[in-house]
Amino acid sequence: MATSSISVHSHDLDLLLKSGVLRHTNAIVLSQPGPLSSKEDLGFFIRDLFARLQVGGFEFKKKALESLLQLLQEDEKSASLVAKEGDMRYLVHLLDSNHHSSVREQAAIAVAVLANANVFSRNCVFEEGGLGPLLRLLESGSLGLKEKAGMAIEAITSDPENAWAVSAYGGVAILIDACRSGSPVTQSHAVGSIKNVASVEEIRVALAEDGGVIVLVQLLGSNNTSTQEKSANCLWILASASEDFRNSILQEGGLQKLLHLLQESANPDTLEHVLRAIYALSGSIPSLKILQSSISFLVQLAELIKHGNITTQQISASILCNLSINESTKRLMSGCMGSLVKMMELSKPIGLQETASRALISLLSIRSNRKELVRDEKSVLKLVQMLDPKNELVCKNFPVYIVSAILSGGSNGCRKKLVSAGAFLHLQKLSDMDVAGAKKALQRLTGNRLKNIFNRTMAGIVHKDTNPTR
């Protein structure tokens, strides 16, 4: 017993000597450095805290953790120095069940703050084995511990290189259970963690086996906006991965819940992720049937193209490109055509011009929409300006295709509007440059004009031949 006691004291003394606190004049009582303290003083204070954390009993540990949390909360930049100078392995060790509950909770808060502070401190927590104990806390800890553990796990898994470890610790089932029965805060962090790791194939397999899809679909109905957004984002990742996941989401009523959330939510971020999930699901035939038959959804899609931010506009237009809708519905959606023309003018984000032009061509397949677009003088002027070879911001194929679509019905009114706006000269130049579709569009633009010239010429010849005074 005496040998064991001496061994413990020897270990503690060794720890104190290595920390350097015994060489400091104020080693016994050390106050927290002020905001203007040097990096050296702050580093010494952190080493002293961790020495006291390891050497002292319950009260010593509790006070040391209180000082550590105060430091982290008052100075966000101190997290990197804490991760560098402190003993992260021992801090993680305090999360184990053999420690007092209040010590575990304070340690969990400190770990959560460090995991969320920056990349360096987050990686230190992960590299010192923090993920496993945090998952155990999420599985069997108190309500407060579960929430703090969930926050830290979501932060750690935000780094794609850490995602594999969730599977290694058997964490997928733990995260799904937290989504099922956790508090709203815990659910939000748990589904955020699943979203972070869902791109890993091995984890997707585990999600399918452990009933993850039905839980994610249910969370779309959560009262927590953050949870709804993360759930929709995760469903998008899964639906984009395989046909099996798309079918599973549909079977659980996921598309209907997404459509309902799209109608109810006013949060731009939530709308964006819901639209992404709907777009991923629109790759399957059963989804297309549902989407194409929902008039309210299609009308809202047109509204999002008109009034949404650039991201929601692009996703909405992408969905429209996938759909085959009837003429009456296309008439209802005609109000967004001017917005699609505006989108074609933008060079970023990548793919926006093509998406907008494809969606616009779909709506221009009916005569009434073609006439309505050419009545919009601003849209016609924009189209003609996009045809100008000097305009290098727009790929010429897209406005050429739009002009060709407008003229596909052979309307003289549409033709006159485009000619008077100056489309003829631009198309002629583009035709000479061998731009795809330009010759065809030019022929459609000048077809009747050439025919009228030919008719007038022939009429003049006939008139000369029948003139008796000739």
Side-chain angles (χ1 to χ4, degrees), residues 26-310:
N26 298 322
I28 305 302
V29 179
L30 197 64
S31 59
Q32 182 165 325
L36 300 179
S37 299
S38 67
K39 191 174 181 179
E40 290 73 18
D41 286 344
L42 187 57
F44 176 78
F45 177 74
I46 292 168
R47 292 193 300 274
D48 175 72
L49 277 182
F50 275 86
R52 293 167 187 270
L53 193 61
Q54 296 177 62
V55 170
F58 166 68
E59 289 297 332
F60 230 44
K61 283 180 170 56
K62 191 175 178 182
K63 289 181 179 180
L65 282 168
E66 287 173 357
S67 297
L68 177 61
L69 289 173
Q70 184 180 353
L71 174 65
L72 289 170
Q73 290 165 359
E74 291 180 358
D75 184 5
E76 294 178 359
K77 295 179 181 179
S78 66
S80 294
L81 197 58
V82 168
K84 181 181 178 182
E85 299 289 348
D87 189 337
M88 291 295 99
R89 184 177 295 274
Y90 188 79
L91 185 62
V92 167
H93 170 67
L94 293 178
L95 301 176
D96 290 343
S97 57
N98 58 332
H99 291 285
H100 194 280
S101 59
S102 61
V103 170
R104 292 176 76 199
E105 187 159 353
Q106 285 182 311
I109 296 172
V111 169
V113 172
L114 289 166
N116 281 275
N118 57 61
V119 175
F120 177 75
S121 58
R122 178 169 67 240
N123 286 341
C124 284
V125 171
F126 175 72
E127 289 166 4
E128 294 299 339
L131 186 56
L134 287 167
L135 284 166
R136 289 195 293 273
L137 282 181
L138 184 63
E139 183 179 27
S140 58
S142 64
L143 177 63
L145 283 173
K146 285 183 176 183
E147 291 181 354
K148 298 299 181 296
M151 182 191 303
I153 293 167
E154 184 176 13
I156 289 171
T157 55
S158 65
D159 187 338
E161 294 184 2
N162 300 339
W164 61 270
V166 171
S167 182
Y169 286 111
V172 175
I174 295 173
L175 290 171
I176 292 173
D177 285 340
C179 288
R180 283 196 186 101
S181 57
S183 70
V185 174
T186 302
Q187 284 182 326
S188 178
H189 291 310
V191 74
S193 300
I194 293 175
K195 180 260 297 181
N196 289 342
V197 301
S199 57
V200 179
E201 184 177 358
E202 183 181 351
I203 288 176
R204 289 200 299 269
V205 172
L207 282 170
E209 292 174 350
D210 294 332
V213 171
I214 187 171
V215 174
L216 291 169
V217 169
Q218 289 171 347
L219 288 177
L220 292 173
S222 168
N223 293 325
N224 188 314
T225 301
S226 176
T227 300
Q228 291 175 333
E229 178 186 325
K230 293 170 186 177
S231 301
N233 196 351
C234 193
L235 289 172
W236 163 56
I237 295 170
L238 296 178
S240 302
S242 71
E243 184 68 24
D244 287 341
F245 272 115
R246 287 193 287 273
N247 291 335
S248 181
I249 293 168
L250 285 173
Q251 289 170 5
E252 300 299 339
L255 181 56
Q256 288 82 354
K257 283 188 174 289
L258 286 166
L259 291 174
H260 177 74
L261 184 55
L262 190 68
Q263 293 283 344
E264 296 296 319
S265 179
N267 183 285
D269 293 331
T270 303
L271 290 176
E272 177 185 332
H273 293 299
V274 169
L275 285 169
R276 289 188 190 280
I278 292 173
Y279 173 72
L281 290 171
S282 69
S284 67
I285 294 175
S287 297
L288 285 175
K289 290 180 179 179
I290 295 172
L291 296 174
Q292 290 166 180
S293 62
S294 176
I295 302 300
S296 60
F297 165 68
L298 294 169
V299 170
Q300 187 180 11
L301 206 62
E303 287 299 308
L304 287 168
I305 292 173
K306 286 175 65 178
H307 303 299
N309 59 42
I310 193 64

Side-chain angles (χ1 to χ4, degrees), residues 331-352:
R331 290 191 190 96
L332 289 175
M333 300 182 73
S334 63
C336 72
M337 293 191 298
S339 297
L340 289 169
V341 173
K342 290 179 183 178
M343 289 162 63
M344 288 176 61
E345 291 183 298
L346 303 176
S347 58
K348 292 181 179 179
I350 296 171
L352 179 64

